[in-house]
Amino acid sequence: MTSRLSESGFGLELQDVDLADLNDQIIERVTKAFYASGGALLIRNQEHLTPENLRDFVALFGTVEKNEKYNPDFLMPDFPEILRLGNLMENGKRAALWIKSDDVLMWHSDDTFRDPQPIGSCLYCVTAPPTGAATWFAGMTHAYQALSDDLKKTITPLTALHSYDHLNEFLRLSNPHRPPLSEELLKELPPIERPLVVKHPVTGKKALYVTPIHMESVNGMTEEDARPLLNQLLVHATQPQFTFAHAWKSGDLVLWDNRCAMHAPSPFDADKHDRLMYRLTINGEQIESAAEQS
Ligand code: OGA
Ligand code: MN
């Protein structure tokens, strides 16, 4: 059984599955549900999964990353596919990637400034604080479909520069422990041009591709014209009917698709409570431009 997680139909919860038993029938159900979800699939009650079970599930959707770009202290020992997120400390040192969240939701799809971009991630809850730390999701296919024809026409030919440096400097404002990007990284990851409307390589559906915190500029537009447009599109895409917040319990898992969904973390009291999540990231078929087809 599946149930909807937002009014527009974006986001699905798939019930009565045990991901430790990946038989053909379950594989068909989870893959169908994932592509039907518009980019966010929730499955609960998976606290019994082993790291291997998690990896085998995620591998149904692409190649599982080994997280080379992260500090090895943040990876599960002998299991580099699992990146730990949260406020976990071991021997006085951070043992998980810690990104402090603000009250303002930082909507994004991951690493839009990388080529190839990771196509999605699976976030698996080990320990959740009693309140806070929900993750928000927004469906960009549903949001695109609800735009006026005029606005669709205006934005479809547009492209933007996505930049890691732009994001990093923004994150440094609230995470002073975060270093500036090294010369090496700046060279390795120069800004990349991406369309504002993309086509999903598997479903063929168009989606808005607007992550203002990664976007340095919109090509052919001044900053004064571009920011209000990007903000307008973000406000549109994050209306209640296209979004849901998932309040985590241990054993919950959400698989998201960076090609047609955004997500945003929310804060919790990290001095009082623990949060530990496992994150597995997938590489695979990249977004296409929607401009040629329209
Ligand atoms: C991520 C992310 C949100 C969260 O892992 O890319 O944005 O709530 N996580 O942990
Ligand atoms: Mn993210």
Side-chain angles (χ1 to χ4, degrees), residues 250-287:
S250 57
D252 291 354
L253 158 170
V254 173
L255 182 71
W256 73 75
D257 190 328
N258 284 323
R259 299 165 296 188
C260 57
M262 288 202 295
H263 57 275
S266 63
F268 70 100
D269 189 343
D271 296 328
K272 287 215 184 90
H273 301 295
D274 293 335
R275 184 189 200 228
L276 178 61
M277 311 291 284
Y278 292 163
R279 183 192 202 265
L280 294 89
T281 297
I282 319 162
N283 289 302
E285 280 188 88
Q286 298 292 293
I287 49 164

Side-chain angles (χ1 to χ4, degrees), residues 85 99 106 108-111 121 135 214 256 258 263-265 279:
L85 298 186
I99 299 181
M106 281 202 257
H108 64 282
S109 108
D110 292 320
D111 291 11
S121 279
T135 308
H214 299 177
W256 73 75
N258 284 323
H263 57 275
R279 183 192 202 265

Side-chain angles (χ1 to χ4, degrees), residues 12-29:
L12 287 180
E13 176 178 353
L14 183 64
Q15 283 137 355
D16 308 316
V17 274
D18 176 1
L19 296 178
D21 174 26
L22 280 185
N23 57 49
D24 288 350
Q25 194 209 354
I26 291 191
I27 291 174
E28 195 189 329
R29 282 181 67 209

